[in-house]
């Protein structure tokens, strides 16, 4: 029986989604919980994609194959009973074997959360504190350049292993709510550190210290060295075209 689950997690204490020998990944936590719930020796959870150490999720999606069927409320409640409080299963459903949480993705949305007010300890590891943020209009004008299909080599950190740096961005915009500013970006896929690099360069561009179109055309990572910290990044939504 294959289950699709939607997860929210605080990535602060995890080494990322992907399973690691240290056993402190979100995937490891989910697999341990699933094994306990279904009394199985081994269950592999496949995520929609990797989130790095310190990155959070509001809508990560994963699937796993279980040896038996359980009522959905028992799957959600049972997994949450065995998961740490920093990881919660929001929803679950049975799916066919053709569904693959990674390969079936049509598009993803990430949110990057910035805070422009006085630094507050309660927001540590949740936002990027940035003083004197440019206006929403200037920030939106900066990210207009990334909409559409482009080679995003400038905005890709080394070590990702992607076969191509061409991606399609369907939407990129900022929203401001008081001292909070959220950057939303939706694409058919993301390169290693792509959102964090775009966020940092968009702020520079909005301040007049860079030009997003020139950076995009350069296809050269050395032209955009700064990247936003992991703590402000959230996997917001995964779309399967359902």
């Amino acid at each position: 029986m294959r289950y699709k689950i939607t997860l929210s997690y605080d990535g602060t204490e995890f080494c990322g989604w992907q399973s690691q020998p240290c056993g402190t990944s979100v995937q490891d936590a989910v697999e341990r919980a699933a094994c306990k719930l279904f009394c199985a020796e081994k269950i592999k959870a496949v995520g929609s994609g990797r989130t790095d150490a310190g990155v959070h999720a509001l809508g990560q999606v994963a699937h796993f194959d279980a040896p038996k069927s359980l009522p959905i409320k028992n799957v959600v409640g049972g997994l949450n009973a065995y998961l740490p409080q920093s990881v919660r299963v929001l929803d679950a459903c049975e799916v066919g074997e053709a569904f693959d949480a990674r390969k079936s993705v049509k598009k993803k949305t990430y949110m990057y959360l910035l805070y422009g007010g006085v630094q507050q300890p309660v927001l540590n590891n949740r936002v990027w504190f940035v003083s004197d943020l440019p206006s929403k209009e200037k920030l939106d004008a900066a990210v207009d350049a990334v909409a559409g299909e482009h080679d995003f080599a400038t905005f890709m950190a080394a070590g990702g292993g992607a076969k191509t740096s061409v991606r399609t961005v369907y939407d990129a915009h900022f929203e401001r709510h008081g001292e909070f500013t959220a950057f939303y970006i939706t694409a058919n896929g993301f390169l290693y550190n792509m959102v964090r690099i775009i966020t940092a360069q968009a702020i520079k561009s909005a301040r007049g210290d860079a030009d997003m179109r020139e950076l995009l055309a350069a296809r050269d990572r050395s032209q955009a060295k700064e990247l936003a910290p992991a703590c402000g990044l959230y996997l917001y939504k995964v779309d399967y075209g359902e």
Side-chain angles (χ1 to χ4, degrees):
M1 178 58 60
R2 178 161 293 187
Y3 288 96
K4 171 189 173 186
I5 58 174
T6 302
L7 301 150
S8 177
Y9 51 82
D10 175 353
T12 305
E13 298 179 357
F14 294 98
C15 62
W17 164 266
Q18 190 74 10
S19 181
Q20 301 289 339
C22 61
T24 59
S25 73
V26 181
Q27 180 183 359
D28 292 322
V30 171
E31 290 178 350
R32 285 193 293 267
C35 285
K36 291 178 180 178
L37 177 61
F38 290 95
C39 301
E41 291 186 6
K42 184 177 182 180
I43 290 179
K44 180 180 181 181
V46 177
S48 68
R50 302 179 183 181
T51 52
D52 295 330
V55 175
H56 315 296
L58 298 174
Q60 171 70 288
V61 176
H63 82 257
F64 62 84
D65 294 327
K68 60 183 177 181
S69 178
L70 291 175
I72 293 301
K73 65 177 183 179
N74 291 6
V75 174
V76 174
L79 289 174
N80 284 334
Y82 292 118
L83 283 165
Q85 288 296 314
S86 52
V87 183
R88 294 290 90 183
V89 175
L90 306 178
D91 192 19
C93 63
E94 296 181 0
V95 291
E97 293 185 2
F99 176 83
D100 186 293
R102 181 176 65 86
K103 297 178 181 178
S104 300
V105 174
K106 300 300 182 185
K107 56 186 178 181
K108 295 180 186 177
T109 299
Y110 275 91
M111 177 185 73
Y112 197 95
L113 191 58
L114 303 136
Y115 186 74
V118 177
Q119 186 164 354
Q120 300 185 36
V122 71
L123 297 177
N124 289 347
N125 301 315
R126 303 288 186 277
V127 301
W128 182 17
F129 294 98
V130 181
S131 59
D132 300 322
L133 270 173
S135 69
K136 175 189 180 310
E137 291 72 22
K138 289 183 177 180
L139 290 167
D140 279 337
V143 296
D144 278 348
V146 304
E149 183 180 279
H150 302 285
D151 185 335
F152 285 92
T154 297
F155 305 98
M156 175 181 67
K163 295 181 180 179
T164 175
S165 52
V166 175
R167 295 291 186 273
T168 300
V169 172
Y170 302 109
D171 178 70
H173 71 279
F174 285 81
E175 294 182 7
R176 182 156 287 175
H177 305 280
E179 299 291 356
F180 292 92
T181 299
F183 171 46
Y184 293 91
I185 182 167
T186 302
N188 62 351
F190 291 91
L191 302 166
Y192 186 40
N193 286 165
M194 178 174 162
V195 181
R196 293 167 61 189
I197 298 170
I198 288 177
T199 302
Q201 299 307 315
I203 294 173
K204 284 189 65 177
S205 182
R207 287 173 172 166
D209 298 325
D211 186 292
M212 291 292 280
R213 295 187 186 280
E214 291 181 1
L215 291 175
L216 194 62
R219 300 175 185 173
D220 181 358
R221 174 71 176 96
S222 67
Q223 300 299 309
K225 294 180 180 179
E226 301 88 354
L227 81 162
C231 62
L233 184 59
Y234 297 75
L235 176 53
Y236 186 75
K237 182 181 179 182
V238 184
D239 188 346
Y240 293 92
E242 298 160 330

